[in-house]
Amino acid sequence: MDNVLKNMRETPIESEEQHAKPDDALTGTDDRSDGNVYETINSLHMYLGLHYPRSGKDKNVDPIFPHDHAPWHAVGFPQRVARLLISLIPKNEEFPKRALDIGCAVGGSSFELAKVFGKVDAFDYSESFVKAAKQLQANEVIRFQIPVEAELYEEVTVVYDEDVTEEVRQRVHFFTGDACSLQDMVEKGLLSGHESYDGVLSANLLCRLPEPMACLNDLPKIVRKEGVVVIVTPFSWLCEFTPRERWLGGFIDPLTNESVYSKTALQTVMEKNGFEKIHEEQVPLLIREHQRKYQYIVSEATGWRKVK
């Protein structure tokens, strides 16, 4: 395992064309010349539906097509992982505190964190995602399409939870950024100073980074001692986003001929970086393709407390 991680750290950077992207988006018609799937209108609509499942109630459009045994437990993923981070903050700690939402997409998890944390910094590499989050923060009306069947869709207005008040929304600072350059972002003043965050959330991002180790190795520089990091990921590595030599796991170690699993590698990295594992659970989520087809994903959520 140490040899594998060492090789990952020392492999030269071959390309800077890929940056932080949330996991498991669907491709659509690209309206940008850079080919970034997370800047397409289809991805924006999909993530608005994922982050704000109450949208469409006025048109009787449910997040899941109503039927027996529908997996309603998988709805509201951004809010659920944000509440998980909140639950892991030591109970003797006094709020308000500062949180960081890495790969915030369109802001559903960020607003949930802001219900408790006094200040939330939230960034994403996708400019269109951040633009939408800022519009919602300003209480602007955003309409998006919920796919129904083939070329049919319903156009609905984004609706967030009633307790996402003006006061809550203004606690969030949205901006574009690169999860593989956290320390650089601190030096540029985009992130708060040295070891200042009490809670950090990274939801379905790790296996869409071109340099996951760069992100993980910068975490101890921005998290205060006793601070908590929650990493949520399905470990769905793809060369399209992460060069194979930078995967944490999901391959055979060429030196030992043994299977390397991402879960084990992640624990090794986090412990070397001064964190102890304090929580683990499986977190399902649902992404709608149309009313009768969905992506059902089970991500692994782990909580880490900084002890060094």
Side-chain angles (χ1 to χ4, degrees):
M1 177 62 67
D2 287 342
N3 287 332
V4 172
L5 296 178
K6 181 174 184 296
N7 290 336
M8 291 170 60
R9 288 194 293 269
E10 296 179 349
T11 302
I13 300 174
E14 296 180 353
S15 173
E16 297 182 354
E17 295 177 357
Q18 297 173 344
H19 292 268
K21 306 177 181 70
D23 292 346
D24 299 298
L26 301 178
T27 57
T29 302
D30 202 326
D31 51 7
R32 283 170 53 94
S33 59
D34 63 9
N36 184 351
V37 65
Y38 296 98
E39 296 291 1
T40 67
I41 192 67
N42 286 354
S43 289
L44 177 59
H45 290 182
M46 180 179 297
Y47 275 83
L48 286 169
L50 172 66
H51 279 244
Y52 303 100
R54 294 184 63 215
S55 307
K57 293 293 185 181
D58 58 332
K59 291 195 173 184
N60 294 318
V61 179
D62 289 316
I64 307 174
F65 184 71
H67 64 281
D68 291 340
H69 311 300
W72 288 98
H73 62 278
V75 174
F77 171 80
Q79 290 74 20
R80 286 184 285 118
V81 294
R83 290 194 293 269
L84 173 59
L85 172 59
I86 292 169
S87 73
L88 295 178
I89 299 296
K91 296 300 184 289
N92 61 341
E93 297 285 352
E94 295 292 333
F95 287 91
K97 292 185 172 296
R98 182 180 291 269
L100 175 63
D101 191 356
I102 303 177
C104 64
V106 293
S109 53
S110 310
F111 291 141
E112 191 70 21
L113 291 172
K115 294 177 184 179
V116 175
F117 286 91
K119 176 70 175 179
V120 178
D121 290 331
F123 73 88
D124 199 280
Y125 191 72
S126 169
E127 294 179 2
S128 63
F129 284 3
V130 172
K131 179 181 178 181
K134 288 182 175 180
Q135 289 176 305
L136 293 171
Q137 184 178 40
N139 204 29
E140 295 181 19
V141 175
I142 295 183
R143 298 186 63 80
F144 69 100
Q145 297 174 358
I146 295 181
V148 176
E149 178 182 333
E151 298 178 353
L152 303 179
Y153 60 87
E154 289 282 357
E155 188 171 274
V156 303
T157 300
V158 172
V159 177
Y160 36 67
D161 292 340
E162 293 179 358
D163 55 355
V164 179
T165 63
E166 173 72 13
E167 180 183 1
V168 167
R169 296 195 302 274
Q170 293 310 311
R171 292 174 184 166
V172 185
H173 172 219
F174 289 112
F175 56 100
T176 57
D178 188 344
C180 297
S181 303
L182 298 180
Q183 182 59 36
D184 289 344
M185 293 169 67
V186 171
E187 294 172 0
K188 293 176 181 178
L190 295 173
L191 294 180
S192 188
H194 180 65
E195 298 187 6
S196 61
Y197 289 103
D198 304 285
V200 175
L201 175 63
S202 172
N204 278 19
L205 176 71
L206 188 66
C207 57
R208 289 299 176 266
L209 295 175
E211 296 182 76
M213 286 289 290
C215 179
L216 295 175
N217 286 336
D218 275 351
L219 286 176
K221 303 173 186 176
I222 63 172
V223 180
R224 73 168 180 84
K225 189 174 181 180
E226 300 300 324
V228 175
V229 176
V230 168
I231 298 175
V232 189
T233 175
F235 297 123
S236 55
W237 304 103
L238 292 172
C239 292
E240 175 186 357
F241 303 111
T242 311
R244 187 180 180 280
E245 65 271 15
R246 298 189 188 277
W247 296 0
L248 293 189
F251 56 85
I252 302 297
D253 187 329
L255 298 179
T256 65
N257 203 35
E258 295 180 351
S259 298
V260 178
Y261 291 96
S262 303
K263 176 178 179 176
T264 304
L266 177 60
Q267 181 160 348
T268 299
V269 173
M270 293 300 286
E271 289 177 349
K272 284 186 176 181
N273 284 338
F275 293 86
E276 68 172 356
K277 191 175 184 179
I278 59 173
H279 184 81
E280 176 183 322
E281 68 176 90
Q282 308 307 310
V283 182
L285 68 144
L286 204 70
I287 297 179
R288 178 175 179 142
E289 295 188 26
H290 58 73
Q291 70 176 357
R292 295 182 180 277
K293 185 182 179 184
Y294 306 82
Q295 295 182 40
Y296 184 85
I297 302 156
V298 181
S299 294
E300 177 158 285
T302 48
W304 308 87
R305 177 172 294 121
K306 187 179 178 185
V307 293
K308 295 181 182 178

